Amino acid sequence: MRFDRHQPLSAHSPCPFCAPATFTHVLTETPELMLVADNAPLVEGHLLIVPRAHYSCFGATPASLDAELTPLLAEVSEFCATVYRPALIFEHGIFAQSVPHAHLHIVPVGGLSAAIMGQQGAHPVSDLNDVRAYHSGIQHYVYLAQAASDGKPAGALFPPDMGTYVGVLSALRHRSQRMNPSFAPQHIRRMGSGPMMAAVAERWAEWHDSR
C-alpha cells in the first residue's frame, strides 16, 4: 500500500514476490497461497495474502483459487477480529502497484466507514468473483472491502483515478495514524518493521495454537 512517491518496479525488473526469500515472516501456507507479515506495516497485524503463481492482481486469478483463498480469508478475518480489531482488505489492482504481483493487504483498522466508501465512482462488490468480472472488462481498479467470517469480503471497487485513489488511501492513512502514532512513509516503516512483523507472527502462532 503506497502512501508516498515510491516508484513501481520497471517492466524488466525481477518480481520480488516470486522469490520465496523475499518473505521473512510467513505465518501460514497453502499449496497456492502464502500469508505473510507486511514489511512496511501500517499497524501491527498488517498482513498480505500472496499467490505463489505470478498474477498481475487478484482480478486476474482463476476462480479455482477460491478453494484455498476463501477459508484462508475467513481464518485471517477471525484472527484480526479476535487479536486486534476487524480488518479491511485492500488491493491496488495493477493501478499504482509498487510490486507487480497480486497481493491482498489485510489491515486491522476497524470496519468500513461512509467516509471511505463515499468516494466518487464506488462500484459495490460482494466477493472476489465480482472483482474478477470487473477486471475482465475494465482492467484496472482499487479494491477495498471488509474482512468477513465467511471469507467473502464485500466492499467496493474504485476507478483507476488518482484523485479517488488518494481519497481512499488518505482515509485509511488517517485511521492508521490514530492507531499507530509513529506512522511514517513506506520506506521509513520498512526500516523499522522488524518488531511489528515479529509480534504479529508470534500472536498468530499463539492464536492458532489456542483454537
Side-chain angles (χ1 to χ4, degrees), residues 39-60:
N39 74 346
L42 296 171
V43 295
E44 185 183 313
H46 185 166
L47 304 172
L48 300 178
I49 293 179
V50 183
R52 297 181 187 278
H54 187 92
Y55 299 102
S56 59
C57 61
F58 268 87

Side-chain angles (χ1 to χ4, degrees), residues 93-140:
I94 301 176
F95 179 74
Q97 280 179 325
S98 56
V99 178
H101 185 123
H103 55 287
L104 290 178
H105 293 265
I106 298 95
V107 192
V109 291
L112 290 171
S113 69
I116 296 176
M117 296 302 292
Q119 299 294 319
Q120 185 175 5
H123 176 82
V125 294
S126 58
D127 58 27
L128 283 166
N129 277 325
D130 289 344
V131 176
R132 294 183 180 104
Y134 186 97
H135 175 70
S136 68
I138 302 178
Q139 300 298 315
H140 299 315

